[in-house]
Structures are given as C-alpha cells and as structure tokens.
Amino acid sequence: MKSNDGTRTGGEVLIDQLVAQGVKEAFCVPGESYLAALDAFYDRKIELIVCRQEGGAACMAEAVGKTTGRPGICFVTRGPGATNASAGIHIAKQDSTPMIVFVGQIARDMRDREAFQELDYRAVFGTMAKWATEIDDPARIPEIVSRAFFTAMSGRPGPVVIALPEDMLTERVSVADAPYVEAVETSPGSAEMSKLQTMLDGSKNPMIIVGGSRWSQEACDSLSRFAEKFSIPVCTTFRRGSMYDSSKVTYAGDLGIGVNPKLMARIKAADLVLLIGGRLGEMPSQSYTLFDIPTPQVKFVHVHPGSDELGRVYHPTLAINATPGAFCAAAEKLTAPKNDALKASTAQMHADYIAWSEKATPQPGGVNLGEIMVWLRDELGPDGIITNGAGNYSGWIHRFYRFKKFGTLVGPTSGSMGYGVPAAVAMKHLYKDRPVICVAGDGDFLMTGQEFATAVQYNLPIIVIISDNGIYGTIVMHQEREYPGRIIGTRIRNPDFVAYATAFGGYGALVEKTADFPAAFAGALQSGKPSIIHLKVDPNAITTATTLDAIREKALASGKNH
Ligand SMILES: Cc1ncc(C[n+]2csc(CCOP(=O)(O)OP(=O)(O)O)c2C)c(N)n1
Ligand SMILES: [Mg+2]
C-alpha cells in the first residue's frame, strides 16, 4: 500500500530494488512469511510467475541466470519452501550461475525459538550459496540487494540467498534506491597475453576447452574468431555444447560423458591446452583422469573470471584471471603463426566430429532417440532451445544434436534431475518466438512435471519429449556394471503421459515408432499448447554406444558375479 509521507515498507523497498536492477520477472511459490513483498509486486512492473513447487521456481530462476548472465529471481517461503528451492540453488552453485533467492523468515523477535518453519539460512545455505544473509533493517535493503547483484554476477557467479524477516518487510523506512549493477569485468594484462603469444608460437598441437559461465553470444563469436584465426580445435565441456557453433570447422565435439574416442585422443596429443571459462570438473575431466593433478602433463593455460578457481585443482602454466569475453577479445588480436599441419588436423578433427554425430546409432526397440535428435537438429533451426535434466537419455542430445548459438542448450552441469521442465518454462517465457523443447527421462520428468501446469497457466507452449523406458536408466546401467543382474530400486511404473498432458490442459501424443515422431511433433506445434510427446523406449537402449544386455554380459565375463 502506498503512503504519501515518502516512506515505503521494507517489501516495497525490496521490489523497487529489483525494478532498479532491470528485473523483468520473478518466479515464486507464495508464503505468508513474505506477504508484504508479494503485495509490493501488485503495482510494480515485474511479472510474478507463480509455480507449483519451489524446486521448479528455483530452476526457472537458474535458467534465466544461465542464459542472460543477470541473476534469475526466485521468492520462496521459509523452512519447507527454502529447502524445496535448494535443488535450484545447488545447480546455480555448481553451474556458476547468477541467481538470487529471497526467502520469507519469521519475525525478528521470535528468532532462535525454533518458531514455525524457522531455519538459520546462513547456516543452511552457507556452503551451498555464494552468499547467504538475512536483512535485519529495512533501511539496508538497497545496500544488501546491490551487493547481492554484484556477488551473484561477478568473478565466478553463483546463487545468493537472502532471508527476509516478515516484520522487517512491513516496517516503513525512508531510503534511496541503489543504482543498477553491472557485472565486474576482469581483463587479461598485456604481460599475460604476450606470454600466451609465445606459447602459441611454440605450439604444434594446441587445443581449446570451453565451459563455465559468463559467456554471451558476443563472447562466443569472439572465441570462434580467435580459434578460426589460429586453426585451433575447440571442444565444449559437459552440457555447455551451445557455447560454440558446431558448424565451424574448428568445432571438435563434446567433452562430457560418452566422448568421441577421436576427440579424447586429440586432447591427449595436445602440447598446449587452453581451458577458457570452465573449471574442468569431474564430468569433462573424465573423473579427473584427463590431466594430472595438481600439475597437468601438458602446457596448460587456465582462463577463469574467478581468481579462486585458478590453481584450485590444476596448477596452470599460465593463469589468466579474466572473463571469457574480455579474454577472447584480446586473444583474437594475437598474431597467428602459419601452421598448415594444424589447419589440416583441425579440419580432420571436425570431420571426425561430423562422422561421430552424423547418423544415429542403431538401437533396440521401436523408438530411436538418436534418430529423433537428428530429425530435430535439421528441423528446429539455429534458434531452437533444448532443455534437459539428468538421465542417460541426455546422451543422445549431447552426441547428435548440433548447437549453433549461445544459450540453445540449457541443462544442469550438476546433473540434477528435474531441471528440464522448469528450464523450458523459463526459456519459453523469455523467448516466446523460439521453439523450446524439453527432453526428459521418465524419472526425470516426474521430479518437476507439475510445472507443466505453469506452462499451461502462462500459455507457454513448450514441447516436452519424455523418453519412457520404465527405469531410472542411469542407475540400472551402474547396477549392471557393478552388480550384474541384481536390479533393485530402479524400476518405475509410469502414468499415461498423454492423459497427463491433456488433464493439465495441454496436448499429448504417444510415439511407439520413430517414424511417427514428425507427425506427433507437428500435432504439438499445431495445438499451440504446452505438449508432451510420450516416447516408448526400450530399456535395453541404454546409451548411444551400448545396451544394458551388453553391459551385464561384460560385467559377468569380468567376474563381477555377486
Ligand atoms: C535430483 C536427482 N536425484 C537423483 C539423481 C541420481 N540419478 C541420476 S540419473 C538417474 C536416473 C534417471 O532416470 P530417467 O530420468 O528415467 O532417465 P534414464 O536414465 O532412464 O534415461 C538418477 C536417479 C540425480 N542425478 N538427481
Ligand atoms: Mg528412464
């Protein structure tokens, strides 16, 4: 409620700070703990998107942060709301995504009695968030929210959690708004760039590995100019596939799970590795086996915007504390030595990538997810956005889909199931004219499948493709590998997903043969509604390269017979 004495409630001050930061949308599940903040949305120009579970709301905010580079905003209630949201907070942490989660909190005068749903947010999120705090004094809201934007976006980005005591939100104060926050850019020094020039001059076989956050289309374009000028092959790390245009002759493929053996060999043959933007975590480093720790066996340049990440795992030959964009802008100005052999081997590596991803591998059963990915990559166009969560089904995306633009793959590098549906909702909200496709596993989908209702409520016609194999396939794969034949706790009985879609007010289609997919997809598009395409997939079709039967037989043959 407005007053005419120049004061505002804490809730009003808070939402005005978000307006000042250019926030256009916030994702929430409401709670009585932050009514005054909710009320302030009533007459302010930020769209409040109400979700069905805080894990979904937090994943939506994370997806916004991931693709825009500015913090996605999420509001949740205390205790159970905050703990539900932790799924998205953890993704933002591992994926280095800017995000701010506002959490309702009990009144200040009840603290430490374990009042209704009370949590100590600094303690609970202390190791998961980049910063967790609580606002005691409404006059400090502008200062703290401003700091939250700086903290979430700068260096290595991450999530900030801010608890809001409910009586603080209703207190009236007279305070000025904080100005718009720009993420802090760190640029490489000329001394570092000349060292890099010398290293590039002396290298026969350099290789670029890209990952992490703080990328943009502009930074990606700059990277590709640098790589093309020097003819250096570029590979993208796990679920960062859309950071490089796969049609460029310098694209070498995906360094995630199930890597092209030729790419692995090429990386191992490199005499100079440039890791730009990423941390090279457990997945892309192939469980930390690719490079020796702490001293890689190869000349190793690590470019990262967070100074704490440099030297954290790998002791680089040259460490450069810079954002990817600032680094690539400087790198593309370096002088390229003539290296025809490198040019030829880079072109060969790209040909190897094309061969690896060109044609779907044969699969048991009627539906081949690889063929569907091949069909989609030709059909969707460069602006199509793919989202996913975690599960073996995602292997077909990573191998066969070909990304061309930044932000067209929105998936959790942290491997969190349930991410794809909320991420698709958020992407369709941001990019209404672009196709947004969520590819989900059957287990994965039902972790946040209720957010399909959010897509229906806000008329966001996402298309969810569910790969239904009746199992938590990834875990079955590990069971067959380690405890062959002893399948436990991994079979799931699914609902009729077509009926699920229509019950929610969407469109649904069942596909039991690959050849029926294009018609189902056309039906989904024509409906103009959020849609689910239910694929019946053979559980034996466990990866792009092998089957469950083959994994079990191999494990039994190697003596793993419990
Ligand atoms: C939130 C969460 N819970 C559990 C896991 C462990 N996990 C990884 S993959 C997986 C199974 C995925 O099953 P599904 O979505 O059906 O995909 P599939 O592997 O069958 O293709 C599980 C349980 C996880 N990664 N994330
Ligand atoms: Mg499954």
Side-chain angles (χ1 to χ4, degrees):
M1 275 162 284
K2 293 251 185 227
S3 87
N4 51 16
D5 63 356
T7 64
R8 293 176 288 180
T9 65
E12 289 169 329
V13 175
L14 178 69
I15 309 309
D16 282 339
Q17 302 319 297
L18 301 184
V19 172
Q21 295 306 328
V23 170
K24 298 278 182 297
E25 63 281 307
F27 302 93
C28 82
V29 175
E32 69 276 28
S33 57
Y34 68 95
L35 277 184
L38 268 180
D39 182 72
F41 278 103
Y42 195 83
D43 37 25
R44 280 166 183 79
K45 277 206 170 105
I46 294 181
E47 190 174 358
L48 188 64
I49 296 170
V50 56
C51 305
R52 299 310 176 101
Q53 213 262 18
E54 293 84 354
C59 287
M60 290 181 204
E62 200 279 346
V64 167
K66 197 172 241 151
T67 50
T68 66
R70 293 197 59 86
I73 305 294
C74 174
F75 276 79
V76 300
T77 200
R78 52 202 170 186
T83 49
N84 275 347
S86 63
I89 298 170
H90 180 254
I91 297 169
K93 166 75 172 176
Q94 290 233 311
D95 288 28
S96 311
T97 303
M99 166 182 184
I100 304 176
V101 179
F102 293 98
V103 185
Q105 170 66 310
I106 53 150
R108 288 167 289 187
D109 61 356
M110 293 182 186
R111 247 190 230 133
D112 292 329
R113 291 179 185 158
E114 199 181 334
F116 185 62
Q117 302 178 339
E118 179 178 0
L119 276 180
D120 174 349
Y121 298 99
R122 288 189 180 95
V124 170
F125 293 109
T127 57
M128 200 192 295
K130 194 173 171 191
W131 183 39
T133 192
E134 186 159 318
I135 305 181
D136 273 338
D137 175 359
R140 294 190 62 191
I141 292 173
E143 169 202 341
I144 291 169
V145 174
S146 168
R147 177 174 164 192
F149 273 79
F150 272 110
T151 303
M153 287 190 286
S154 300
R156 175 184 170 193
V160 172
V161 175
I162 301 181
L164 309 165
E166 61 178 78
D167 59 327
M168 184 282 293
L169 287 175
T170 52
E171 196 179 318
R172 303 198 80 88
V173 282
S174 177
V175 63
D177 293 341
Y180 187 76
V181 176
E182 296 278 6
V184 178
E185 284 289 327
T186 29
S187 301
S190 56
E192 291 152 338
M193 292 313 286
S194 64
K195 275 188 198 154
L196 179 62
Q197 176 76 65
T198 309
M199 290 169 89
L200 286 166
D201 288 346
S203 166
K204 287 197 171 63
N205 249 345
M207 178 87 211
I208 294 174
I209 301 176
V210 295
S213 62
R214 303 207 61 176
W215 289 91
S216 60
Q217 187 61 55
E218 207 187 351
C220 293
D221 290 345
S222 176
L223 169 66
S224 75
R225 284 191 297 271
F226 165 51
E228 301 258 295
K229 180 171 173 182
F230 283 75
S231 298
I232 305 176
V234 177
C235 64
T236 47
T237 55
F238 185 53
R239 300 209 167 122
R240 303 292 195 185
S242 70
M243 278 171 188
Y244 206 75
D245 179 349
S246 59
S247 66
K248 298 272 179 202
V249 71
T250 39
Y251 188 56
D254 189 56
L255 180 61
I257 299 171
V259 182
N260 180 357
K262 289 191 172 161
L263 172 59
M264 207 54 94
R266 176 65 183 79
I267 297 173
K268 289 192 170 144
D271 59 1
L272 173 65
V273 167
L274 274 77
L275 169 60
I276 307 174
R279 298 185 292 125
L280 207 73
E282 182 182 341
M283 293 297 156
S285 70
Q286 314 298 304
S287 300
Y288 298 107
T289 60
L290 201 50
F291 301 110
D292 291 346
I293 295 171
T295 317
Q297 66 278 27
V298 58
K299 282 197 182 121
F300 195 89
V301 179
H302 193 181
V303 182
H304 202 284
S307 57
D308 288 354
E309 296 303 324
L310 296 165
R312 179 177 172 179
V313 180
Y314 304 100
H315 182 150
T317 324
L318 175 62
I320 299 182
N321 185 199
T323 55
F327 170 77
C328 292
E332 63 170 302
K333 293 198 190 95
L334 297 178
T335 312
K338 192 169 157 48
N339 189 341
D340 288 339
L342 176 60
K343 204 169 176 183
S345 72
T346 297
Q348 182 57 51
M349 184 63 248
H350 184 66
D352 292 339
Y353 156 70
I354 293 292
W356 174 251
S357 58
E358 184 65 11
K359 205 168 164 295
T361 44
Q363 298 294 329
V367 174
N368 183 332
L369 201 46
E371 284 175 17
I372 290 173
M373 288 302 129
V374 169
W375 187 85
L376 278 174
R377 82 182 179 208
D378 296 334
E379 198 66 22
L380 283 187
D383 285 328
I385 296 172
I386 304 275
T387 72
N388 66 270
N392 265 36
Y393 69 88
S394 72
W396 280 270
I397 309 172
H398 303 318
R399 177 159 173 186
F400 296 112
Y401 199 85
R402 289 179 184 158
F403 298 96
K404 294 196 173 62
K405 284 193 179 173
F406 172 72
T408 51
L409 171 61
V410 187
T413 71
S414 67
S416 192
M417 290 169 74
Y419 182 78
V421 174
V425 170
M427 291 302 97
K428 195 69 188 172
H429 163 78
L430 287 186
Y431 309 109
K432 301 229 165 31
D433 300 334
R434 297 169 65 177
V436 177
I437 315 296
C438 165
V439 187
D442 45 352
D444 181 43
F445 174 78
L446 274 182
M447 287 217 174
T448 51
Q450 71 274 37
E451 300 305 342
F452 192 73
T454 311
V456 171
Q457 180 165 343
Y458 290 90
N459 291 319
L460 299 169
I462 58 171
I463 300 178
V464 184
I465 299 170
I466 302 178
S467 167
D468 172 6
N469 57 4
I471 49 173
Y472 284 123
T474 306
I475 313 306
V476 174
M477 174 182 74
H478 288 295
Q479 287 177 330
E480 292 287 26
R481 203 174 267 157
E482 302 300 326
Y483 304 95
R486 294 167 62 83
I487 303 304
I488 178 128
T490 42
R491 287 201 181 96
I492 46 182
R493 182 173 162 178
N494 288 312
D496 174 344
F497 288 116
V498 173
Y500 181 107
T502 47
F504 276 62
Y507 172 86
L510 178 68
V511 169
E512 293 180 289
K513 292 197 302 289
T514 309
D516 295 338
F517 182 81
F521 193 80
L525 284 179
Q526 263 160 26
S527 77
K529 294 177 181 174
S531 302
I532 292 177
I533 301 178
H534 181 174
L535 307 181
K536 285 280 193 188
V537 173
D538 188 323
N540 198 20
I542 200 66
T543 75
T544 64
T546 190
T547 60
L548 273 182
D549 289 347
I551 291 172
R552 180 172 53 252
E553 277 152 28
K554 196 171 160 202
L556 288 171
S558 74
K560 278 197 176 144
N561 204 346
H562 293 265

